Amino acid sequence: MKLLQKLVRNATTRKKALLIVSGLLIAAGWAANFFGALPRLFDVLMLLATLTAGFEIARRAWQGLRNRHTNIELLVAIAATGGIFIGVFWEAAAVTFLFLLGGWLEARTMSKTRNTLKELINMAPETAIVIDGGERKEIPARQVQEGMRVLVKPGSKIPVDGLVESGTTSIDESAITGEPIPTEKQTGSEVYAGTINKNGRIFVKATKAGADTTLAKIIRRVEEAQEEKAPTQRFIERFARWYTPGIVGLSIVSYLFTWDLELALTLLVIGCPGALVISTPISVITGIGNAAKKGILIKGGEYLENAGKVTAIALDKTGTLTEGKPGVIEIIYFSRAIAVAGGGQEEFPAVHTVSLSDRNNESLPLEGEELLYWASIAESASEHPLAEAIITEAEKSGQIPEPDEFESYTGQGIEAVLGDDHIYVGKAEFLKQKRISISENINKEIRSLTNKGRTVVLVARNNKLLGAIGIADQMRPDAPKMISKLRENGIERIAMLTGDARPTAEAIAEETGITEVHAGILPEDKNDIIIEMQQQGYQVTMIGDGINDAPALATADIGIAMGAAGTDVAIETADIALMANDLMKIPEALRLSKKTLRNIHQNVVIALITVTALLAGVMAGSVHMAGGMLIHELSVMAVILNGMRLRWG
Amino acid sequence: MTTTKTILRSDELSCPSCVNNIESNLNQTEGVSNAKVHFNTGRIEVEHDPDRASEEKLIEVVRHSGYEAQISPF
């Protein structure tokens, strides 16, 4: 008895039990009818089925009335009572059973659409192993305090945000950034709660725990975004508030005109606005959830709808299209061709320029490798940002020895000695001072690189010029692909906005395929350009790295911030925040938004067509209560299932 | 009176009228100062005096409205 009480108290099991009993009673009724039992038995069984399924519906209708809401349950309850009253027992049973079944199926599928959020919540481990005075203690993850030392074993999830104190490992950060490829981490690297430690044992100094972690903020953001209603949803909900009383009115008027109670009751049943009300939220929840799984945080339904209409894009250059730090772009070197002139042998140095944009695929010519090697020895003692670029490039080919002696001439260059070799790296004037001659053909190459916006560093060894290195902020490898993808997706206008000099900006624009360049401008000019684009009728998206582009991001119809993981400002302020610095997420975000917008429209159309067709069917006398309820419930399921397609898109 | 905020989650909200029911019932519960139910996410935010309306009581009110709910970790 206690068990039964418990079962009845649990809302889910109670609904399921009522549904099963009601279904069995209906089946028994039809069986009795088939085997020619007493005709009254059919009606009695149908009446029992109506009362069983109707119990839950009447309960909710009553609760609604008590709270002064007219809800769908009230319509169904009136229709079923009316059905019993006029003796259409089968219709009443079918209506209540189908409504309860529909509600149960809707709740089940709706719960699936909310799964992304649950998956994100489940990413965070519940406990953390903290090291306290040499002792290990397992405590709830949210109780970890800032500064505590946490041990993360290989294969386990990181419980807090923090910095690696010791150990090296690779970490799967897909929970935060959506990037499937693990990232290498060593002492000093930042790690996030919810990411997975793949192979090494690491100790992490906690900086944030529980609700303060990046993951928790993402979850909250996604949730807020899903809660925030899209303009279409707000419109439909306002409409629905008038719609239900409107249907009751229509039903009364129809009855007064026709004296046909069944027609009036059927109108109540088919008038439920279920599919329409659910059409927008279902697409928005699924669209935002799916984007979050890919590391794209969309602030809400409104932004999703706006992003779906974008026609123009303005991009920041530094840090967005480029890496935002200097890198080696070109190497000028001499090939040692030997020319035979006038019977004697003479070295004939031919100048070659090699671009490193595809260095990963091909190895450098030997002379180029050598030049980088000597330059990096001298630079290894320097702390100049350009030195870092040269060393990073040289390290791809192997170890770099330390120089024996080193001297830096501020703003000019550096001189280093390794064994018998003297190395000079710096500007042309510096090398000239060191009595190293620079031929006209290399000067020409240097001028051409400078015109492209490169910083050129010359390299000499033992009084002989080896060549030069062109350094600039490197374009991200994906930039041209991203631009062509955006054009494919129907973006009509793409403009680059940058404070950099025109030659540098144009070099990047040419490489990426952008034709509109606004160079040498201030942050407020970026704003004006976006306003101008909007005045010309474009729906504009601004893409930047979150902080220095803030005004332009705010002015644009949609602001997309790059590389937002760990930066609260970007997560909080951008309309769309990309957790990883992955350019391909931009067309992906716009594609998902467009797809979601299309899905919303499809759902509204499905809902409206169903209601109109049913209404026409009822007026024509070809749709009755049970059939009307079945079609109505099917339309709700169609809308939910259509929305759920966004989970996989 | 101490007020605390408890977040519950329900997986069973399938229509906006469910929201109205739960919200009204919670708001009429003694000890609850404000309750907000979000249909899209199934998140139920309740500001309440834990001495007069315990977490169990809140779950019971939601259950009485016809839905199951759990306490949320975030």
Side-chain angles (χ1 to χ4, degrees):
Chain A
M1 199 60 197
K2 264 197 169 163
L3 182 75
L4 189 70
Q5 251 182 354
K6 211 175 157 189
L7 281 180
V8 174
R9 261 168 51 83
N10 182 298
T12 317
T13 30
R14 187 178 63 232
K15 271 179 262 178
K16 238 188 269 179
L18 290 175
L19 197 58
I20 292 170
V21 174
S22 161
L24 286 175
L25 286 167
I26 290 175
W30 280 110
N33 203 27
F34 182 76
F35 290 114
L38 288 172
R40 296 307 292 169
L41 186 61
F42 177 78
D43 288 349
V44 169
L45 287 169
M46 289 303 166
L47 177 64
L48 287 175
T50 312
L51 293 176
T52 313
F55 169 73
E56 192 69 27
I57 299 167
R59 227 174 76 98
R60 290 213 198 151
W62 169 241
Q63 276 185 347
L65 273 183
R66 231 183 38 187
N67 297 327
R68 293 198 198 94
H69 297 298
T70 48
N71 53 23
I72 305 165
E73 283 82 356
L74 183 68
L75 299 188
V76 178
I78 298 173
T81 316
I84 293 170
F85 182 68
I86 57 171
V88 285
F89 295 106
W90 148 242
E91 300 267 352
V95 163
T96 46
F97 174 76
L98 285 172
F99 184 77
L100 207 58
L101 176 70
W104 180 70
L105 284 173
E106 281 163 36
R108 269 185 68 107
T109 31
M110 274 298 282
S111 155
K112 284 212 174 76
T113 66
R114 297 184 183 122
N115 261 353
T116 346
L117 204 63
K118 267 184 264 164
E119 282 166 25
L120 279 173
I121 292 173
N122 291 339
M123 289 279 184
E126 284 176 10
T127 58
I129 306 169
V130 293
I131 313 288
D132 188 10
E135 221 180 286
R136 285 181 193 184
K137 263 196 305 191
E138 195 163 328
I139 63 167
R142 65 193 143 82
Q143 284 175 13
V144 176
Q145 303 282 320
E146 192 186 323
M148 276 186 171
R149 212 162 163 241
V150 178
L151 165 67
V152 189
K153 293 179 187 169
S156 59
K157 285 178 193 164
I158 296 178
V160 291
D161 281 6
L163 298 169
V164 176
E165 225 176 36
S166 60
T168 55
T169 186
S170 59
I171 286 182
D172 173 0
E173 294 192 319
S174 55
I176 302 282
T177 61
E179 271 308 309
I181 304 157
T183 330
E184 299 300 318
K185 301 277 176 178
Q186 52 272 321
T187 310
S189 301
E190 206 167 4
V191 291
Y192 303 109
T195 58
I196 302 160
N197 180 14
K198 299 295 277 187
N199 40 36
R201 204 176 71 131
I202 50 167
F203 290 92
V204 174
K205 189 176 174 188
T207 51
K208 284 169 186 167
D212 297 327
T213 59
T214 304
L215 180 70
K217 277 187 191 135
I218 292 175
I219 291 170
R220 192 66 207 112
R221 202 85 205 75
V222 173
E223 213 171 27
E224 276 169 5
Q226 291 182 332
E227 281 159 10
E228 201 222 331
K229 289 166 185 169
T232 317
Q233 185 178 355
R234 278 199 292 269
F235 170 74
I236 289 173
E237 282 186 8
R238 264 204 309 275
F239 172 71
R241 216 169 294 149
W242 294 104
Y243 183 83
T244 313
I247 286 291
V248 176
L250 179 70
S251 162
I252 294 170
V253 169
S254 311
Y255 178 69
L256 291 179
F257 270 94
T258 60
W259 293 107
D260 184 345
L261 192 57
E262 198 181 340
L263 170 84
L265 294 176
T266 312
L267 271 176
L268 287 184
V269 167
I270 61 122
C272 306
L276 195 61
V277 167
I278 219 164
S279 58
T280 311
I282 197 82
S283 308
V284 170
I285 303 168
T286 322
I288 288 176
N290 183 24
K293 247 188 349 200
K294 293 179 174 164
I296 303 165
L297 286 190
I298 303 173
K299 208 177 188 178
E302 189 171 346
Y303 305 95
L304 198 70
E305 282 198 4
N306 284 345
K309 298 175 196 156
V310 164
T311 51
I313 284 181
L315 291 135
D316 166 50
K317 183 188 78 74
T318 314
T320 304
L321 282 171
T322 63
E323 303 278 3
K325 59 175 188 190
V328 174
I329 309 274
E330 282 115 352
I331 288 180
I332 307 174
Y333 65 93
F334 299 113
S335 69
R336 298 203 186 94
I338 305 291
V340 181
Q345 279 194 345
E346 191 191 348
E347 226 177 59
F348 179 72
V351 178
H352 296 270
T353 301
V354 50
S355 166
L356 296 194
S357 55
D358 49 8
R359 172 90 198 267
N360 292 337
N361 309 326
E362 281 172 47
S363 59
L364 263 178
L366 197 62
E367 294 90 340
E369 290 279 6
E370 248 184 72
L371 177 126
L372 262 180
Y373 173 75
W374 291 110
S376 63
I377 293 171
E379 295 285 10
S380 65
S382 162
E383 278 175 5
H384 197 276
L386 294 182
E388 201 187 309
I390 294 173
I391 292 162
T392 309
E393 196 56 45
E395 273 176 345
K396 290 180 187 168
S397 308
Q399 290 279 322
I400 304 160
E402 288 275 323
D404 303 324
E405 286 171 45
F406 167 83
E407 195 168 346
S408 169
Y409 302 83
T410 311
Q412 295 293 311
I414 46 178
E415 184 179 351
V417 181
L418 176 70
D420 298 332
D421 290 302
H422 281 253
I423 314 157
Y424 304 93
V425 181
K427 291 182 175 171
E429 298 78 48
F430 172 66
L431 265 71
K432 276 180 204 153
Q433 278 169 27
K434 296 289 169 190
R435 297 177 188 288
I436 296 161
S437 67
I438 300 163
S439 61
E440 186 43 39
N441 52 357
I442 200 156
N443 261 330
K444 217 173 93 193
E445 289 292 319
I446 292 168
R447 272 198 300 275
S448 128
L449 286 190
T450 314
N451 286 341
K452 282 205 296 187
R454 314 279 193 251
T455 304
V456 181
V457 174
L458 281 82
V459 185
R461 177 181 159 225
N462 296 335
N463 300 324
K464 199 172 152 201
L465 187 69
L466 295 179
I469 300 172
I471 297 171
D473 188 3
Q474 280 170 303
M475 182 187 74
R476 288 183 199 273
D478 278 344
K481 201 167 131 202
M482 188 248 326
I483 298 294
S484 71
K485 198 93 198 167
L486 286 175
R487 288 199 209 278
E488 261 172 49
N489 285 353
I491 305 297
E492 297 157 25
R493 188 169 166 189
I494 301 173
M496 182 206 276
L497 315 182
T498 177
D500 281 7
R502 186 153 279 279
T504 318
E506 276 181 349
I508 294 284
E510 198 186 346
E511 280 179 86
T512 49
I514 295 176
T515 44
E516 185 178 336
V517 180
H518 301 268
I521 55 172
L522 300 166
E524 52 263 40
D525 299 331
K526 291 187 179 180
N527 237 13
D528 293 343
I529 293 165
I530 287 171
I531 293 170
E532 190 193 306
M533 286 167 106
Q534 285 169 329
Q535 280 167 350
Q536 287 168 8
Y538 291 98
Q539 175 94 1
V540 188
T541 287
M542 168 75 197
I543 300 160
D545 51 9
I547 298 144
N548 57 0
D549 297 314
L553 285 171
T555 305
D557 298 292
I558 288 287
I560 301 183
M562 300 265 305
T567 58
D568 294 349
V569 183
I571 296 180
E572 295 299 325
T573 57
D575 301 326
I576 297 180
L578 307 177
M579 301 315 289
N581 252 332
D582 179 356
L583 279 181
M584 295 315 285
K585 300 274 188 211
I586 297 171
E588 180 65 12
L590 296 180
R591 189 188 67 84
L592 270 176
S593 304
K594 269 209 170 107
K595 212 173 158 187
T596 310
L597 190 63
R598 213 166 37 231
N599 201 279
I600 292 173
H601 291 160
Q602 287 164 354
N603 277 351
V604 172
V605 168
I606 294 174
L608 286 178
I609 287 182
T610 314
V611 170
T612 317
L614 278 175
L615 211 61
V618 174
M619 292 302 185
S622 52
V623 173
H624 295 277
M625 250 161 81
M629 179 54 96
L630 181 67
I631 296 172
H632 172 260
E633 285 302 337
L634 286 176
S635 76
V636 175
M637 284 313 290
V639 160
I640 295 183
L641 292 174
N642 187 43
M644 281 181 72
R645 285 193 307 131
L646 291 170
R647 280 187 68 164
W648 301 284
Chain B
M1 188 183 94
T2 50
T3 305
T4 151
K5 192 172 177 180
T6 297
I7 312 289
L8 305 173
R9 277 175 196 284
S10 176
D11 248 359
E12 300 184 334
L13 307 186
S14 61
C15 58
S17 77
C18 316
V19 171
N20 291 334
N21 258 349
I22 302 175
E23 218 168 69
S24 305
N25 286 341
L26 279 171
N27 277 321
Q28 283 163 21
T29 305
E30 201 200 321
V32 172
S33 47
N34 187 25
K36 183 134 190 58
V37 181
H38 299 277
F39 166 66
N40 289 9
T41 47
R43 183 182 165 98
I44 305 169
E45 293 172 6
V46 195
E47 282 165 32
H48 62 116
D49 172 3
D51 295 331
R52 292 196 294 151
S54 64
E55 290 180 348
E56 290 71 34
K57 171 80 184 161
L58 302 179
I59 292 178
E60 189 52 46
V61 173
V62 178
R63 184 176 284 157
H64 178 71
S65 313
Y67 311 90
E68 288 297 307
Q70 303 81 35
I71 303 279
S72 166
F74 289 110

